[in-house]
Amino acid sequence: MAWIVLVISGVLEAVWATALGKSEGFTRLGPSIIFGIGIVLSMAGLAYAMRTLPIGTSYAVWVGIGAALTVGYAMITGTESASIVKILLILGIVGCVIGLRALH
């Protein structure tokens, strides 16, 4: 159960990070609200997962999922440039997250 919560929390990290960028310094209400809800739920899930999973592994998985999804979304929407090298590096992060799960 902790792993499922951790993965969902990583997805929520991508949600709040993206919303933070779209909030334009908290001047836009919708993205600011999404940011607030997303960060609270993401941190709560991370804290829950850390009750049974190692702190370092939990944090690395959480950040890895969040970073990969955030940059992937930005590349898909065109707000960030995409390249084969960048995609391969993001896939490397995903591979490391999978590896951490396999080791635990």
Side-chain angles (χ1 to χ4, degrees):
M1 185 64 165
W3 279 101
I4 293 169
V5 172
L6 183 59
V7 169
I8 292 169
S9 295
V11 172
L12 287 169
E13 184 197 4
V15 169
W16 69 253
T18 302
L20 178 60
K22 292 180 182 264
S23 76
E24 296 177 10
F26 298 116
T27 60
R28 295 183 59 219
L29 183 60
S32 297
I33 290 171
I34 292 170
F35 165 80
I37 293 168
I39 198 165
V40 168
L41 292 175
S42 180
M43 291 289 177
L46 177 62
Y48 174 83
M50 285 182 167
R51 290 172 49 192
T52 56
L53 300 174
I55 292 171
T57 299
S58 298
Y59 186 68
V61 168
W62 181 76
V63 169
I65 291 170
L69 290 175
T70 301
V71 76
Y73 176 80
M75 287 189 297
I76 289 168
T77 60
T79 57
E80 187 167 330
S81 65
S83 70
I84 295 298
V85 173
K86 193 181 281 188
I87 291 167
L88 290 173
L89 291 168
I90 295 302
L91 289 174
I93 292 172
V94 172
C96 290
V97 166
I98 292 168
L100 286 169
R101 171 60 181 114
L103 288 174
H104 189 269

